[in-house]
Amino acid sequence: MITCVLHYTIDPAQIDAFEDFARAWMRLVTKHGGVHHGYFLPAEGASDKAEALFSFESLAAYERYRARFGNDPEFVAADSIRESSGCVVRYERTFMRPLLPTD
């Protein structure tokens, strides 16, 4: 399993657009074989940070999902929310693997 951790800097004035963006991507990850663990939005403190985590069974499975970017109409529509609103200032993507407890 591989988990993608996304660290976002967002425009706090565009939080509603960011939520629309997040809902669209949660649906697409699930539809295309991933498990979305959710978006985590500002509640207190710094108001321009958000996080997202989702997993795929392997890096190859993630790459099949990622291959749809830029040419699949659903992916283009979801990403256009970010582009048109400016809700995402920047982001970083990190891939991690879980270390699970043993007995």
Side-chain angles (χ1 to χ4, degrees):
M1 174 187 290
I2 190 155
T3 299
C4 183
V5 180
L6 288 156
H7 309 280
Y8 291 97
T9 301
I10 62 173
D11 178 348
Q14 295 295 329
I15 193 74
D16 290 341
F18 185 79
E19 289 182 15
D20 292 342
F21 166 80
R23 284 186 185 97
W25 284 107
M26 285 189 284
R27 184 182 61 74
L28 288 170
V29 165
T30 301
K31 179 178 178 179
H32 293 283
V35 175
H36 211 293
H37 307 291
Y39 277 79
F40 301 86
L41 307 177
E44 293 184 32
S47 62
D48 68 344
K49 303 294 180 201
E51 308 284 329
L53 291 92
F54 60 91
S55 299
F56 279 88
E57 65 184 32
S58 65
L59 187 56
Y62 170 80
E63 288 172 349
R64 285 190 297 276
Y65 153 83
R66 186 86 175 140
R68 293 176 168 86
F69 283 46
N71 52 24
D72 181 296
E74 285 185 294
F75 283 71
V76 171
D79 206 40
S80 72
I81 298 168
R82 176 189 58 81
E83 289 179 15
S84 65
S85 70
C87 64
V88 175
V89 176
R90 79 179 140 272
Y91 68 93
E92 292 178 30
R93 184 182 306 126
T94 304
F95 293 96
M96 305 185 103
R97 62 179 175 82
L99 179 63
L100 302 173
T102 57
D103 298 344

